[in-house]
Amino acid sequence: MITRLRRSFANLAPEQRRVGLAAILVLVSMLLPWYSKTTNAITRNGLANAHESKMAILVPSFVEASIFLVAVAVLVLMFARGEGRAFHLPFGDGIVCTAAGAWVAFLVFYRFIDQPAGGTSKNLAYSYDLSWGIFFGLLAAAFLIYSGTRLRLANVAEPPLPDEPPTRVAPPGPPEPPPPAAPVDAETAETPDARADRERRRAEREARRRSEQATAVARPEIDGGTQLSFDEQE
């Protein structure tokens, strides 16, 4: 099993390894003291107080169980990708890991507002307060969100299914350079396209002028200055 884990980790992309590390940090945070338990007991000698730290994993509830399962699910996903398992998740691995980190962060923040419920019995009462370990859990959840976002932006290719060709995703590179500008004539300070357009317009004007001259020559001139009277015509 250790060999499979090492081989799977070696096959992962750097962004996938970062996601796996974030999930491990979430699990490690659950082994830290998230809560401090205060117990008040009535004894023969009077009221006795006791304080002890409680790890998140030892305080069973829906919140802690959800955080644990989400972190394990992300680790299983990265292990499967490292072994080349072919399956597709809705919206892709990056968005799923980002959503997992957001859910963990929401649950940890919920614990800031609502601590685990205490209890009472005949001779004792106990309550819970927050401890320093829960802040590490919140940072681990934020790191999981960041890692999932980086995985989504990296566009890491998923293993193809048996009935589809392999997906090739080009790594993000620098933007394409703009097309080279057209050369400018040093004498006229204009590009060849502008010069050709200017020559075309000049040729059109010349052709229009010649056409008007030809029309004027072909039209007969009428001299209305000299007319003969009826007497002179006779």
Side-chain angles (χ1 to χ4, degrees):
M1 186 63 183
I2 301 299
T3 303
R4 291 180 60 187
L5 289 175
R6 294 177 59 184
R7 183 168 55 249
S8 175
F9 182 79
N11 293 334
L12 292 176
E15 293 78 11
Q16 293 173 323
R17 296 177 184 177
R18 188 184 294 114
V19 170
L21 176 61
I24 292 176
L25 291 178
V26 172
L27 291 179
V28 170
S29 71
M30 300 192 70
L31 301 176
L32 299 177
W34 279 27
Y35 314 107
S36 60
K37 181 179 180 181
T38 302
T39 304
N40 299 318
I42 300 177
T43 63
R44 295 180 179 179
N45 298 326
L47 183 63
N49 296 328
H51 300 275
E52 59 179 330
S53 298
K54 285 289 185 180
M55 295 183 294
I57 200 171
L58 297 180
V59 183
S61 70
F62 170 77
V63 173
E64 287 75 21
S66 298
I67 295 174
F68 179 81
L69 292 178
V70 168
V72 171
V74 172
L75 286 176
V76 171
L77 173 62
M78 293 299 104
F79 176 74
R81 292 308 187 195
E83 289 197 331
R85 304 289 180 86
F87 57 90
H88 296 319
L89 296 178
F91 309 108
D93 293 353
I95 294 182
V96 169
C97 294
T98 303
W103 177 243
V104 172
F106 171 76
L107 293 176
V108 175
F109 179 75
Y110 176 77
R111 274 301 180 223
F112 279 89
I113 302 174
D114 184 17
Q115 291 84 15
T120 58
S121 64
K122 183 177 180 181
N123 295 324
L124 61 86
Y126 61 92
S127 61
Y128 289 95
D129 295 319
L130 297 180
S131 186
W132 61 271
I134 194 171
F135 296 96
F136 186 85
L138 186 61
L139 292 177
F143 183 54
L144 181 57
I145 296 175
Y146 168 77
S147 302
T149 303
R150 296 296 303 175
L151 178 60
R152 179 179 61 84
L153 296 177
N155 293 327
V156 178
E158 300 177 357
L161 296 174
D163 56 346
E164 68 179 3
T167 304
R168 296 182 179 180
V169 179
E176 297 182 358
V184 178
D185 191 353
E187 297 180 357
T188 60
E190 62 181 359
T191 61
D193 294 338
R195 186 169 60 254
D197 186 63
R198 180 171 55 83
E199 293 293 338
R200 180 179 57 80
R201 291 198 300 269
R202 185 171 62 181
E204 291 178 355
R205 289 197 300 268
E206 184 66 21
R208 190 181 304 110
R209 186 178 61 83
R210 292 179 180 179
S211 177
E212 292 176 355
Q213 291 178 354
T215 303
V217 171
R219 183 183 303 117
E221 296 183 358
I222 300 176
D223 188 6
T226 58
Q227 291 186 349
L228 297 177
S229 63
F230 292 103
D231 298 336
E232 293 175 345
Q233 290 179 1
E234 293 177 356

